[in-house]
Amino acid sequence: APLAAFYVANKFGHIQAEIGRHQAETAALAMGTARNKLRLDLFEKRLAIYEATNSFISNVRGLKNGTESDVFELIRSTKAAIWLFDEKTANFITKQVRHDALALEDVIGNLELDPDEGEKRELLAKRRELYRRFVEHQTVLHDLMTPYLRFTEDPPGAHHS
């Protein structure tokens, strides 16, 4: 009887250990899946901000315009940038591009008010300068966002524990 009890206890111990190993493996897989889902969610949010900003810039460059609703949509679509990117990238999107978008909207609005010739020349010069800046913005946007939009093992801002 003591031998049988030892055998049962030993067998039960091995089964418990095997169950524990399987639980640990399952937990590790779940953690990996959760990490990948988080990475994908972050990628999708960053991509949406890139697309909104790039689309606005492309529209400005192609149509030579920036309507109030376009500017509002840019601001709405990019407000989360401060939490999703490093400070330099976030400031570029939320400050430089937005500032120039608002300035362009202002210039276009003033041109529609039928200004006198001197003011019109000044506004047209400001508009040309803003268009030139948006050409630069597109290149800078691409350069700043490239590391964030590469779906690699270690995206920018990844912290390993």
Side-chain angles (χ1 to χ4, degrees):
L3 192 55
F6 172 77
Y7 176 77
V8 169
N10 189 30
K11 188 70 171 168
F12 185 72
H14 284 296
I15 290 170
Q16 288 294 92
E18 188 64 26
I19 289 171
R21 277 191 293 278
H22 285 296
Q23 287 175 331
E25 289 171 6
T26 301
L29 287 172
M31 186 174 78
T33 300
R35 185 178 298 124
N36 286 338
K37 183 183 180 329
L38 178 63
R39 284 183 59 229
L40 179 60
D41 290 347
L42 190 57
F43 174 82
E44 288 174 342
K45 288 176 181 171
R46 287 171 168 168
L47 180 62
I49 289 173
Y50 169 79
E51 288 176 339
T53 307
N54 191 56
S55 177
F56 179 85
I57 293 170
S58 294
N59 287 342
V60 166
R61 290 185 61 199
L63 303 174
K64 306 289 190 213
N65 215 341
T67 67
E68 185 177 339
S69 63
D70 293 337
V71 173
F72 176 77
E73 181 60 23
L74 172 71
I75 292 169
R76 188 197 64 73
S77 299
T78 60
K79 65 184 173 194
I82 60 173
W83 296 292
L84 297 171
F85 301 105
D86 65 85
E87 187 175 355
K88 180 179 179 182
T89 304
N91 284 340
F92 173 74
I93 293 167
T94 63
K95 294 190 172 131
Q96 284 182 267
V97 174
R98 285 184 190 175
H99 174 270
D100 288 346
L102 290 166
L104 180 61
E105 176 191 0
D106 187 53
V107 166
I108 290 169
N110 286 329
L111 281 168
E112 290 172 354
L113 296 176
D114 198 28
D116 64 46
E117 275 306 308
E119 189 179 1
K120 185 175 182 178
R121 272 194 303 279
E122 186 179 311
L123 289 168
L124 289 172
K126 281 183 185 177
R127 188 175 71 176
R128 276 191 304 277
E129 173 58 20
L130 287 164
Y131 291 156
R132 186 195 60 73
R133 289 178 67 164
F134 277 107
V135 170
E136 290 175 6
H137 286 343
Q138 200 153 40
T139 301
V140 172
L141 178 69
H142 179 77
D143 291 345
L144 289 173
M145 296 291 282
T146 295
Y148 290 101
L149 299 179
R150 283 194 181 119
F151 206 70
T152 62
E153 285 300 312
D154 293 313
H159 299 289
H160 298 285
S161 46

